[in-house]
């Protein structure tokens, strides 16, 4: 569900014609619907309403201040994976005690910043990380609230690059090892054992892997209880998929249904870390056709956005729907490759796609670009990062202005011997 739709033959974001945004802000631009964002968060949150729970938005999916603040107003916490995301989350109004900090490689400076802020919990992923955090907290005279991230070794049945819960993946601790590490951690004076966590992957379209992971965590929680270790929080991570093409992922209600009974039995407060399912379909990438060209084998539509702006097709071979801003009048279709200006063969947004005959100057919307879109953008080919626009009803606002080339070079200098 989202709020991008055709009205009188023209594509709108809520009540704003995308053509108006393109004209005033230029292209490419990311455009977000605040109504979609709010709805997605509420539907997800309400799916768990009969359980004690906290929904921590995974900031890496979309780190825009306007997006995080929209969710924070609805009571969202944040799942962060860096010191930068800590600053962003707090600047956007997420209270520190609703922030969980995940990731395999936290630096001591990042640990210190998060301890100073007073976050809810660190999700730790290795024995050495436990020791390091214990030391940092000790130096600060604090006790760090921690969970261990378990790698439950379940197959998320998603793209290999976004599978994180298999034992060959770098994430988490295997269940038996985690049990041992909890016992060691209990002896570290500056750690407070607070919870257990997992995150098995992204863009999952079935509930079974989540339920399997929860079951394995449940066994571990039982063993820990037997060993006198009581926890408060059960963090099940994120990963619920969305519809990009023909996928039929479970709804948040179905997802919650599959987990609630088991979770309730364990008696811990549930933490959830959804990213994609909240923002994915709440954003589009608005771009313009620069040229078209035919080769002996292909029809190319060259647009002004590339893999540096939206890397998902290049990185994960992912499908992004392409909608023309001026509604297709039902004319002839052309099998097209939609490609960007970057000097890489991997720079494409769509391949062998049946599309209307797009012409030079025409606007298109790359759909479902709200998650892992702008947040993964780079400046490769010295392309400044694009503008971001938030729409709410008939209002719209540039929530991040287009970067300039001067900003790209800021901080650079020649070596002294060349000046
Ligand atoms: C990326 C990530 C998430 C969010 O994943 P989605 O698939 O976007 O829901 C949640 N938790 C952790 C630890 C992550 O790394």
């Amino acid at each position: 569900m989202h709020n991008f739709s055709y009205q009188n033959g023209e594509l709108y974001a809520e009540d704003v014609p995308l053509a108006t945004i393109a004209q005033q802000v230029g292209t490419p631009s990311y455009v977000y619907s605040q109504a979609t964002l709010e709805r997605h968060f509420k539907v997800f949150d309400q799916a768990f309403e009969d359980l004690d729970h906290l929904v921590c938005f995974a900031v890496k999916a979309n780190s825009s201040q306007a997006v995080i603040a929209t969710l924070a107003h609805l009571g969202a916490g944040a799942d962060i994976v860096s010191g930068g995301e800590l600053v962003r989350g707090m600047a956007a109004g997420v209270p520190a005690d609703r922030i969980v900090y995940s990731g395999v490689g936290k630096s001591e400076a990042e640990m210190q910043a998060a301890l100073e802020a007073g976050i809810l919990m660190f999700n730790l992923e290795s024995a050495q990380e436990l020791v390091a955090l214990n030391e940092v907290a000790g130096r600060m005279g604090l006790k760090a609230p921690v969970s261990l991230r378990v790698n439950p070794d379940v197959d998320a049945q998603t793209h290999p690059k976004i599978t994180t819960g298999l034992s060959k993946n770098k994430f988490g601790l295997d269940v038996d090892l985690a049990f041992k590490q909890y016992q060691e951690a209990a002896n570290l004076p500056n750690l407070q054992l607070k919870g257990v966590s997992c995150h098995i992957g992204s863009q999952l379209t079935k509930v079974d892997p989540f339920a399997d992971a929860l079951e394995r965590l449940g066994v571990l929680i039982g063993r820990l209880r037997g060993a006198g270790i009581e926890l408060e929080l059960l963090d099940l991570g994120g990963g619920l998929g969305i519809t990009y093409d023909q996928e039929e992922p479970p709804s948040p209600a179905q997802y919650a249904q599959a987990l609630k009974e088991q979770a309730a039995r364990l008696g811990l407060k549930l933490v959830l870390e959804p990213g994609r399912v909240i923002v994915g379909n709440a954003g589009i990438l608005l771009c313009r056709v620069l040229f078209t060209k035919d080769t002996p084998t292909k029809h190319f539509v060259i647009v002004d956005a590339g893999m540096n702006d939206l890397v998902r097709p290049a990185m994960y071979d992912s499908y992004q729907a392409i909608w023309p801003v001026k509604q297709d009048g039902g004319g002839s279709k052309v099998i097209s490759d939609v490609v960007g200006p970057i000097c890489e063969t991997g720079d494409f947004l769509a391949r062998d796609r049946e599309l209307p005959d797009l012409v030079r100057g025409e606007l298109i919307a790359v759909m479902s670009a709200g998650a892992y879109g702008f947040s993964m953008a780079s400046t490769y080919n010295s392309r400044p990062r694009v503008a971001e626009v938030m729409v709410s009803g008939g209002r719209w606002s540039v929530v991040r202005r287009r970067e300039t080339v001067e900003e790209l070079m800021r901080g650079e200098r020649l070596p002294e011997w060349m000046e």
Side-chain angles (χ1 to χ4, degrees):
M1 218 298 297
H2 59 69
N3 297 68
F4 298 93
S5 63
Y6 289 101
Q7 298 175 30
N8 303 320
E10 238 201 297
L11 189 56
Y12 277 60
E14 301 192 26
D15 302 327
V16 178
L18 287 172
T20 303
I21 293 174
Q23 192 199 3
Q24 297 193 31
V25 185
T27 56
S29 293
Y30 277 95
V31 181
Y32 306 117
S33 158
Q34 196 165 38
T36 308
L37 270 176
E38 290 177 342
R39 181 171 182 279
H40 285 177
F41 181 81
K42 286 180 193 161
V43 166
F44 192 95
D45 194 40
Q46 280 161 13
F48 290 93
E49 70 187 345
D50 41 359
L51 278 186
D52 190 12
H53 74 281
L54 174 65
V55 178
C56 292
F57 171 62
V59 168
K60 76 174 190 289
N62 188 314
S63 322
S64 162
Q65 287 290 288
V67 168
I68 305 171
T70 297
L71 301 173
H73 279 146
L74 300 175
D79 167 53
I80 60 164
V81 293
S82 72
E85 289 189 356
L86 174 69
V87 173
R88 279 188 172 279
M90 302 224 311
V94 181
D97 64 3
R98 288 194 197 150
I99 295 179
V100 294
Y101 190 169
S102 308
V104 291
K106 306 172 192 79
S107 71
E108 291 199 1
E110 288 176 317
M111 290 175 179
Q112 187 176 331
L115 282 166
E116 264 159 18
I119 65 165
L120 177 62
M121 179 164 80
F122 291 85
N123 294 339
L124 302 183
E125 308 209 14
S126 66
Q128 291 183 0
E129 193 185 11
L130 284 167
V131 174
L133 181 60
N134 180 62
E135 269 172 29
V136 175
R139 282 203 294 271
M140 297 171 72
L142 295 172
K143 254 180 177 310
V146 303
S147 87
L148 299 194
R149 175 166 170 182
V150 174
N151 183 326
D153 195 22
V154 296
D155 185 356
Q157 297 166 36
T158 182
H159 190 283
K161 282 192 186 164
I162 48 177
T163 293
T164 56
L166 283 174
S167 66
K168 68 177 178 190
N169 302 137
K170 72 177 174 182
F171 298 99
L173 294 155
D174 136 276
V175 181
D176 287 327
L177 195 59
F179 180 68
K180 284 196 205 97
Q181 287 301 324
Y182 269 104
Q183 290 173 303
E184 295 196 5
N187 296 322
L188 294 175
N190 310 311
L191 298 186
Q192 176 206 353
L193 292 179
K194 182 111 180 172
V196 58
S197 63
C198 74
H199 170 71
I200 57 173
S202 198
Q203 183 56 12
L204 273 74
T205 53
K206 302 203 169 63
V207 291
D208 300 355
F210 291 115
D212 291 348
L214 174 55
E215 196 179 320
R216 291 179 195 192
L217 259 56
V219 173
L220 174 64
I221 291 167
R223 281 178 74 191
L224 290 169
R225 280 201 175 123
I229 294 174
E230 284 292 337
L231 302 173
E232 260 173 70
L233 301 176
L234 169 57
D235 181 345
L236 291 177
L240 187 57
I242 64 170
T243 301
Y244 286 100
D245 184 12
Q246 306 292 327
E247 305 92 330
E248 290 179 7
S251 65
Q254 291 167 325
Y255 167 73
Q257 205 50 47
L259 303 174
K260 276 200 291 202
E261 201 181 308
Q262 255 193 98
R265 221 174 315 121
L266 294 168
L268 309 189
K269 176 171 176 170
L270 208 52
V271 177
L272 301 141
E273 304 172 346
R276 189 188 309 270
V277 71
I278 307 291
V279 284
N281 283 320
I284 60 130
L285 176 58
L286 180 61
C287 45
R288 198 179 282 282
V289 176
L290 293 174
F291 309 108
T292 62
K293 81 170 186 180
D294 291 289
T295 69
T297 51
K298 290 273 192 182
H299 176 70
F300 287 105
V301 177
I302 302 159
V303 300
D304 60 2
M307 65 186 285
N308 69 300
D309 305 307
L310 178 63
V311 78
R312 295 188 65 258
M315 186 136 123
Y316 310 121
D317 260 317
S318 53
Y319 178 100
Q320 308 275 163
I322 307 276
W323 289 13
V325 167
K326 191 163 160 292
Q327 193 165 19
D328 172 25
S332 62
K333 298 276 193 292
V334 191
I335 305 290
S336 310
D337 275 21
V338 179
V339 300
I342 301 280
C343 299
E344 296 278 348
T345 300
D347 178 29
F348 70 97
L349 296 171
R351 265 187 183 152
D352 297 324
R353 193 76 62 82
E354 191 176 274
L355 291 173
D357 194 3
L358 299 168
V359 298
R360 197 167 172 212
E362 190 166 349
L363 293 169
I364 61 168
V366 182
M367 305 304 291
S368 312
Y372 307 104
F374 190 94
S375 66
M376 293 181 99
S378 78
T379 59
Y380 185 40
N381 281 203
S382 286
R383 286 166 52 85
R385 279 170 298 187
V386 307
E388 291 177 287
V389 173
M390 180 75 81
V391 173
S392 172
R395 298 174 298 181
W396 60 274
S397 174
V398 176
V399 294
R400 190 186 209 274
R401 65 166 172 74
R402 197 174 300 282
E403 203 170 26
T404 64
V405 175
E406 289 66 38
E407 284 168 319
L408 293 189
M409 294 193 296
R410 187 184 51 202
E412 288 183 49
R413 49 173 285 191
L414 298 180
E416 305 74 48
W417 60 88
M418 286 182 68
E419 272 168 3

